[in-house]
Structure formats: structure tokens, C-alpha cells
Amino acid sequence: MTPRPPHVALERVSKVFTRKPDFAERIAISLGWPEPPIVRAVDGVSLAVDHGEALGLVGESGCGKSTLGRIVAGVHAKSGGRFEFEGREEADWSTAEAKRARLDIQMIFQDPMSSLNPRKRIADIIGEAPVVHGLVQARDREDAVAALMREVGLDPDYARRFPHQFSGGQRQRIGIARALAVQPKFLVCDEAVAALDVSIQAQVLNLFMDLRERRGLTYLFISHDLGVIEHLTDRVAIMYLGRIVEVGPTREIFAGPAHPYTQALLEEAPRIGRGRRVYAPLKGELPSPLAPPPGCRFHTRCPYVMPVCKIEAPELKQIAAGRIAACHLNDK
Amino acid sequence: MSALLEVEGLKTHFFTRAGVVKAVDGVSFSLAEGEVLGLVGESGSGKTVANFSILGLVDPPGRVVEGSIRFRGEDLVGAPISRMRKLRGRDIAMIFQDPMMTLTPVLRIETQMVETVLAHEKVSAKAARDRAIDVLARVGIPSPAERIRAYPHQFSGGMRQRVAIAIALLHKPALILADEPTTALDVTIQGQIIAEMQKLVAETGAAMIWVSHDLAVVETIADKIAVMYAGRIVEYGRSGDVIGQPAHPYARGLLDSIPSRTTPGQHLNQIPGMAPSVLHLPPGCAFQPRCRFADAACAVPPPIVDTGEDRWARCVRPLAPEAAL
Ligand SMILES: Nc1ncnc2c1ncn2[C@@H]1O[C@H](COP(=O)(O)OP(=O)(O)O)[C@@H](O)[C@H]1O
Ligand SMILES: Nc1ncnc2c1ncn2[C@@H]1O[C@H](COP(=O)(O)OP(=O)(O)O)[C@@H](O)[C@H]1O
Ligand SMILES: [Mg+2]
Ligand SMILES: [Mg+2]
């Protein structure tokens, strides 16, 4: 038997955003000046997510987590690299395959309000897509919506209401029900609990865990909250300025991070129960993604920086079974 | 230690068309010189309104309807505006989540800092500028003598928050009210700001109220913790006590909701339901509809019960230490 290919695999995937030049810049460009700066939001990322796995994606703001998540969910087109869905490269997809991949991977956003149409009733928000895609007969729509609402912990009696009539936690449940309506197998959750109060966040995290068990879902779980990542994921990838610096089993990385950036993140994230303590934080600012440092992008803040780090970008290398890190400390 | 700040029976209500919003409804605590109190609670629990009440910044339709706020023995409730202006910025300083609440975008940092110094002290402009540079250096702004010439937009979010902190520290305040000062920042930058604040309160001996929805952040910096729910403090005590052995079922539920306390992959012991609207509080204990220990006794307003040394809970039946965790 051949091993089952990963649910989703990225190979050297990049995403470049160009800023629209303003008037003065357009004139300058016409006179032969260089174009305005580009942001390499995602820069050569390779990552595979297996069926049924929960992979965490961690990093500070602007490092490219959302961009990567959107590429996976098909919201953004990538600028370069390969994207495989169940072993088939995007360029080779038939129309049917493309549709299947698009429906199979759904996205849950941080701010449910901005992703829910305020003029639509909950029944339509949840029920429209599955009918359009022929997954549910029009006459079964009401029952399907009620079942989905029950599954995410909403009272089906509220199906006729509008999004603004719900609390933040309930709106997030609506967003989840809408994503589930097209029977996906893969959820990209982009800071899906970040805007919620702690007690509501716990309820939604429990829902994500239930859904995973019930539906056998694969997750790409993007969060800046390391407690959430530790709780929910099997493996974790750490990003810094568009690149992945470390990947490995969550338990192992939390017990012994290899990359100096991962070490700093874990050291500095406030975790409950550690008591009052004196911080020895990482020095320096997060560099601008418009002008990332040469060599290893973390070298400007790294406590172990060596001359080579300023010149040469370290490759991701295996450092133990199932663990990779990009750091010159692992050369030799 | 004498109390620097004593808040007693504070009620701040907003008289809106929809009804009376009891944003703060009977808050009492005291703060010793140099002490750091962490004020935690979920959004809408009244943390910001409590802080604004202390500063005399509550605007109509809101007002302090009951209680006293004694700062060094002087009651600030009903104090003249001129008196409050004097205290604000000099003796009591405020740091907001958004540093632009403190900073003016169109003025150089230098202008803003020098004006702040001169507003409360008669010193030369040169002396004011020197002090500003000195304080900027203390909050970790590199090359402060040059950076002071910059405008706020030329700084990153973390650097702006440092400048706002520097402005708060210009007059060596005895009390700092910090309202979610690191909530909008990234983890490593948050770490830097917390480290800076720890150092500064230790150096200057200032007392501080650190407002946050994040118990883990509060734990790293606070001596005492007060947990707010629906306009009231439901539990108060030393940090280690409240986090190690919460006595109020809500405090316990909040702690249980934090993922890293439960074995990974297991269900979190969630609190059912959601916080009530402060327009329609249930009678008796406001937490009762969500409390798994509630019974008929909770239908009347709960008493304040001592639960140990220097700690209390607003609950008819606080959890015994061994029941907790
Ligand atoms: N639509 C866009 N146009 C231009 N730049 C963008 C766009 N989306 C993201 N970026 C830039 O790409 C980088 C990565 O952004 P993002 O993926 O949102 O990071 P994260 O989610 O980790 O905070 C940032 O520098 C951001 O400003
Ligand atoms: N100007 C106002 N008018 C009416 N209600 C207000 C006003 N300001 C605050 N509130 C209400 O007071 C309650 C407490 O708010 P706040 O102190 O900001 O909460 P927190 O800081 O804990 O999130 C909330 O229910 C809020 O809606
Ligand atoms: Mg993002
Ligand atoms: Mg607030």
C-alpha cells in the first residue's frame, strides 16, 4: 500500500504584495526609477499537513501567518511555489478537483462580524452555499441549517435573526457553522478565538476539539496565543518575517525549543502559574517586512548571533526525528 | 504600610435612554504605597470605568453616584475640576491601551514632553527637556536625545507605548493607572514593556493598578489581584493565593478557561453561558445563572466573606482551598 499523501503540502511557496505606487512614484517609475517596495509576506515556505492533524502556526504580527493561511484556503493566489491537495499539484487540477479542493478547505476568521453579511439572516448565511454547490437539496435546507446550528451550540430558533443580534462568541459559532455547511475536511482557523473573552474562548476551543473528533477534521490553527496552540495542536510551525524557522511536535517544542526565536517566544509568553517573575526580554524591534535583514532574519535580535548569520540565511535542517529548525547553531 | 488609595463602595452609573448602566456597582479596595494591584475581568466588567472614576474622567451620562475614593486621605469624589487636573499627570498618571490617547500626532515628542513638565512645574525649558530625555532613556528608547525630535507616527506601536509610559513618569507619580497597556502588542514587545514597568515601579516606588483581561500577564506583575464581574470585585487577595486557590467560582472558572492549565487536548472546564448585560443584572449574585454551585441562597446579594489572610470573596459559599484545583 502506498502511504496516503498529506492533506495539503506546500513547497517553497511565496507571496509577494506590491504596494500601488502613488502619483509621485508613478512619475519616478516612468523616468526609470525602481518600483515601490514589495513585501515578501511569505518567502519560500514548505509545509505539509497530514489528514486529521492539527498543525499550529505561530509568530508575531506581520510575519505572514494570515497570508499563508489564505493561500492554503484558496483566498489568495500564491506568487510562486507548489501547492498540493491530496497529492495533486494545483496546476494539474481538473475543474472538479479544483472545486473539491476549494470546498474541502474552509477558513474561520478572527472577526466574525466582518466576515458575516450583516443584511443576511443566519439561515441564509449558513444555508446558501451547500444548496448552491448541490450538497443539500433546497427542500432539506431548513433541516440542514438547524442541524448545523445545533452542532455548533446555537439554538435553531434563532435562524431568522441577523448577525448583529448575537454576541461575539455566538457570531463565531455562526462563522463555524457556515464553514461546516459545505462539509469541509480541513479548517484554516486564523486567530479564531483571539477576539473572544477568556470564558467564551474556552467554550469555542471545546467546540473545535469536539468537531475534530466528530468530523475527523484537519486543522491549520493560526494563533499568537501559545497556550491555545499547546492545548489544541499536534505539531507547530514557528514563523518569523515570512519564513518558517522551526517545525516539530508541539509537546517536544514546548519542552525544548531549538530555534533561539522559539526559545524567546516561549520564554516571554505569559503563562499562568509561573508566579511573579522578572522578565529578561528579547532586545530590539521586529524589523519591517519591507526591508528584512539579510542572512538570518532573526540575527538582529538573536542573543547567539555569529558572523555567518549576518550573511547567509540558514536552511531548515532536521535536528531530531520529526523536527526541523533553521539556525546556524545547528551547522557543523 | 499606610493606604495610598482607598476606594470604598464606589458606584459609577450611566444614565442612558435604555436604562441605568451600573458599570461599577459597589467596588471597594485599598492600595498601599508601592503596591501593584492587578484588576482583571472580561470585557464590560467595569475595569476601565473604575479607573476613569479614580481619575475623575467619567463624563455624562455617567457619574459617580455613591462611595468615596481617598487618595492620601483626600476624597476625590466631588473634588473640584482644578484639583483633579493638578493631580492628574503629576501625582496620578494614566497609561492607556492605545498610546495615541496620550500622544498628539501633530506634535514632536519633545514638545509634548516639555509641555507636560511645564504644566506642573516651574523649571527652565532646558531642564524640562533634559528630564524628558532622561525618562525616555529609562523606558528603553535608544538614542533618546535624537529620537525626542521625532513625531509619534515615526515610532512603532511598542515604541509609542514606551513614549506614553515616559510621559506618565515625568513627574514621578505616586500612582499609575495602566489600562491594558500591552494588550495590543506582540509577545516579545509585551515582554519588553512588562520588564520596563517592573523595573520602573521598583525604582520609583510608585503604586500601580494594572488592568488586564489576561490573568497570566497580571500574575507576572501584580502583588494583589482583584477579579471583577458585572461591575463588582468578586475576589480579592494576594496574586499567588487568588491564582493558586481561587475562592470565588467565577475566578475559578476563569482560571479553568485558560488552556495552558489543563492537560493538552482535554476539554476545558468551561463556564456556561455569557456575562449578563449590566442593564439587566439578575437579582442577588450576578454570577449565579452561570455558577455550578448556585442554589437558593444566591438569590440575595452575596456578602463579602473573608477567605484567608488579606483576601476575600463576594460569595455566600466560597470554595474551600482543597476544593479549588
Ligand atoms: N493585501 C495586502 N497587500 C499588501 N501587503 C499585505 C497584504 N496582506 C498582508 N500584507 C503584508 O504582508 C505581511 C504579512 O502579513 P500577514 O500575513 O497579515 O501577517 P500576520 O497574519 O502574521 O500578522 C505584512 O507585512 C503585511 O503588511
Ligand atoms: N459612556 C458610556 N455610556 C454607557 N455605558 C457605558 C459607557 N462607558 C462604559 N459603559 C458601560 O459600562 C460597562 C463597563 O465598561 P468598561 O469599564 O469599559 O469595561 P471593561 O474596561 O472592563 O471592559 C460596560 O457595560 C459598558 O458598556
Ligand atoms: Mg494575521
Ligand atoms: Mg476596558
Side-chain angles (χ1 to χ4, degrees), chain B residues 49-300:
Chain B
V49 172
N51 259 350
F52 272 44
S53 304
I54 295 169
L55 286 160
L57 288 177
V58 177
D59 291 324
R63 68 188 159 84
V64 174
V65 294
E66 234 182 274
S68 63
I69 300 167
R70 292 186 182 282
F71 178 70
R72 291 178 170 144
E74 173 186 355
D75 194 351
L76 303 185
V77 174
I81 293 173
S82 59
R83 177 67 189 142
M84 289 311 296
R85 277 216 191 103
K86 239 193 186 118
L87 288 173
R88 274 200 302 265
R90 192 187 63 184
D91 305 274
I92 307 176
M94 182 98 188
I95 301 166
F96 301 93
Q97 175 174 340
D98 178 1
M100 294 316 285
M101 295 270 289
T102 306
L103 302 172
T104 313
V106 294
L107 296 178
R108 290 182 200 278
I109 303 295
E110 174 171 7
T111 318
Q112 307 191 36
M113 292 188 81
V114 167
E115 275 175 8
T116 307
V117 174
L118 298 180
H120 294 288
E121 275 177 60
K122 290 197 173 56
V123 293
S124 70
K126 161 98 173 56
R129 185 169 184 277
D130 287 347
R131 182 172 338 151
I133 292 171
D134 176 57
V135 176
L136 286 175
R138 282 196 4 235
V139 298
I141 304 268
S143 24
E146 289 155 40
R147 299 295 276 153
I148 197 171
R149 302 283 302 152
Y151 291 92
H153 69 86
Q154 293 172 297
F155 286 92
S156 68
M159 281 294 160
R160 265 181 230 157
Q161 191 58 287
R162 283 169 195 263
V163 174
I165 292 168
I167 290 177
L169 293 172
L170 277 172
H171 292 283
K172 298 204 177 65
L175 174 61
I176 300 170
L177 305 181
D179 196 347
E180 310 251 8
T182 62
T183 301
L185 303 175
D186 271 312
V187 176
T188 60
I189 308 301
Q190 166 172 283
Q192 293 172 352
I193 299 280
I194 294 175
E196 230 54 86
M197 291 305 290
Q198 282 175 330
K199 196 177 80 188
L200 291 166
V201 292
E203 275 170 18
T204 63
M208 180 160 72
I209 299 178
W210 182 286
V211 170
S212 178
H213 66 281
D214 188 337
L215 266 164
V217 166
V218 163
E219 185 191 19
T220 63
I221 194 158
D223 305 303
K224 303 274 177 58
I225 287 180
V227 180
M228 281 191 83
Y229 188 77
R232 297 192 178 133
I233 294 176
V234 295
E235 174 148 16
Y236 172 90
R238 282 191 291 247
S239 269
D241 291 344
V242 172
I243 285 176
Q245 303 192 320
H248 195 284
Y250 175 64
R252 163 102 183 254
L254 259 194
L255 280 157
D256 284 349
S257 296
I258 301 174
S260 54
R261 301 229 325 166
T262 306
T263 312
Q266 288 194 355
H267 260 86
L268 299 164
N269 208 346
Q270 67 186 44
I271 307 175
M274 53 188 175
S277 153
V278 276
L279 269 172
H280 308 287
L281 287 179
C285 172
F287 184 59
Q288 157 213 320
R290 304 174 74 189
C291 181
R292 68 188 133 116
F293 305 105
D295 60 24
C298 306
V300 294

Side-chain angles (χ1 to χ4, degrees), chain A residues 60-61 197 203 276 285, chain B residues 43 156 186 188 198 223 271:
Chain A
E60 291 177 279
S61 56
D197 267 318
Q203 296 170 356
R276 225 186 125 131
E285 295 269 292
Chain B
S43 53
S156 68
D186 271 312
T188 60
Q198 282 175 330
D223 305 303
I271 307 175

